[in-house]
Amino acid sequence: MPANPFLRILLFPFSLLYGSMIFVRNWLYDSGKFKTVEFDFPTICVGNLSVGGTGKTPHVEYLIRLLSQQFKIATLSRGYLRNSSGYLQVEINTSADAAGDEATMLKKKYQHVAVAVCEERALGVPQLLSAFPQTDVVLLDDGFQHRAVRAGLNIVLSSYDNLFTRDYLLPAGSLREFKNGAERANFIVVTKCPPTLSKEERESIRNEIAPAKNQLVFFSFLQYGQPYLFTDANVRLQFDKSYDVLLVSGIAYNENLKDYLRPQVKNLYSLDFSDHHHFTRVDVEKMIEAFGNIETQQKLLMTTEKDAVRLLSYSNWIFEKKLPIFVQPVIVEFFEEDKQLFDEEVTGWLTKLKSFRNEQADVAEVQNDT
């Protein structure tokens, strides 16, 4: 979102033009003139109203960890900026170039989960279920604006630092559709909150969002785990204030990570790339040069898990150069008052649906036998 109010005013006419197109598109879906598919199968959509930076994939990971104990999980995303097209089943050795960084990362971290990418979710879901018929639920990563599919449960995320209620339509702001699009959500999650956010502040934000009676508002924050070596995940880093660190990242918003790292290290430097940036050999050479310019022996490189899968193409070179690159894992956690309710609502919804589907299957089997 443009920080300069004057620039925002200049861009406002373009936002009106963009908004008119979005209005017509949503009206065509709402009126039934554009077809929407609703599967007779549990689907959970994790999305947002804005462009990037709200933490969709970490929240998908949260759902994977929450549900994997009881249910068989599959995930489907579009595979943003991949060099392939159509439906693609993601395997352990699938490259980030072929499947996109987020899907590749999910498969490497959660090998028991079926992961696929497809631009057209309405086509991708049936193919995913055909390949993995034992699936209990499909998690749709970033599918809220893709209204060709109506998910059973819609979870909309909005960043604490850029709440959708205070945002504007593109390009004057970062909203991909009007604020009232949030009305289609079952849950609204305010993400990337300060871990110390008080109950009073949360209640104030909840009142600002003004959820409908059938909506619930939750608050989450990021927790950073112990970094591991890029070339050997068994080697863990214990932060030391004597180290200078060069952070190499290509994510939508890395200020939270920088804020976390600064107190942990002596000096923090950064080499920032655009979101989902596909690293080239020139980029890696630039990284090596920037690292070499840090005038101390006590130094190391840091990157994110999404960036790490995009750097895998250069892992042999990185190993040969003996670059001390560590990967910083991040997980989502909910505030204590929200966690129990969120977990119960999601698992309860899915349990009821699974029981209903099992009952239907039993009835159908009896009818077939007679």
Side-chain angles (χ1 to χ4, degrees), residues 111-329:
Q111 298 181 17
H112 64 285
V113 172
V115 178
V117 292
C118 188
E119 301 92 335
E120 300 293 334
R121 272 70 163 193
L123 300 177
V125 171
Q127 292 185 76
L128 180 57
L129 295 178
S130 176
F132 301 95
Q134 299 304 313
T135 299
D136 291 316
V137 59
V138 175
L139 305 180
L140 302 173
D141 188 347
D142 193 19
F144 191 65
Q145 273 78 37
H146 301 271
R147 298 191 60 188
V149 172
R150 181 183 289 119
L153 187 68
N154 276 301
I155 302 173
V156 165
L157 312 180
S158 185
S159 176
Y160 169 83
D161 289 328
N162 190 27
L163 205 63
F164 76 93
T165 53
R166 307 166 190 171
D167 205 349
Y168 302 86
L169 278 176
L170 288 167
S174 60
L175 290 181
R176 294 193 281 188
E177 63 172 295
F178 291 101
K179 300 172 187 179
N180 65 1
E183 294 172 3
R184 304 196 308 273
N186 302 98
F187 301 159
I188 298 171
V189 181
V190 181
T191 69
K192 298 184 177 181
C193 296
T196 56
L197 191 67
S198 69
K199 290 183 180 180
E200 291 75 19
E201 290 174 294
R202 279 177 265 155
E203 191 59 31
S204 175
I205 293 173
R206 184 177 281 108
N207 291 335
E208 180 178 338
I209 292 173
K213 290 182 179 180
N214 63 332
Q215 290 180 313
L216 293 172
V217 177
F218 300 96
F219 296 83
S220 69
F221 56 92
L222 298 178
Q223 282 190 330
Y224 294 96
Q226 190 175 17
Y228 55 87
L229 190 63
F230 175 78
T231 53
D232 185 355
N234 293 316
V235 178
R236 296 281 173 164
L237 172 68
Q238 189 67 43
F239 275 117
D240 189 331
K241 288 280 289 184
S242 64
Y243 276 93
D244 283 359
V245 169
L246 173 64
L247 173 64
V248 179
S249 61
I251 58 177
Y253 184 78
N254 62 8
E255 289 304 315
N256 292 87
L257 178 55
K258 289 179 181 179
D259 290 342
Y260 169 74
L261 289 175
R262 285 189 186 97
Q264 314 284 341
V265 301
K266 184 177 180 181
N267 295 296
L268 179 66
Y269 307 90
S270 67
L271 191 58
D272 300 335
F273 295 89
S274 60
D275 194 19
H276 300 281
H277 179 76
H278 283 275
F279 292 106
T280 65
R281 190 177 181 90
V282 172
D283 295 328
V284 179
E285 288 174 347
K286 187 185 297 184
M287 181 178 73
I288 294 171
E289 180 183 3
F291 185 64
N293 289 336
I294 299 176
E295 297 179 352
T296 178
Q297 295 300 311
Q298 294 284 91
K299 59 183 178 179
L300 51 86
L301 288 141
M302 294 283 294
T303 194
T304 70
E305 290 185 301
K306 286 205 298 184
D307 292 302
V309 297
R310 285 183 264 116
L311 284 168
L312 282 175
S313 302
Y314 306 97
S315 56
N316 290 336
W317 193 26
I318 290 170
F319 183 79
E320 289 172 6
K321 294 287 185 179
K322 297 181 180 179
L323 288 174
I325 302 181
F326 283 84
V327 181
Q328 177 63 69

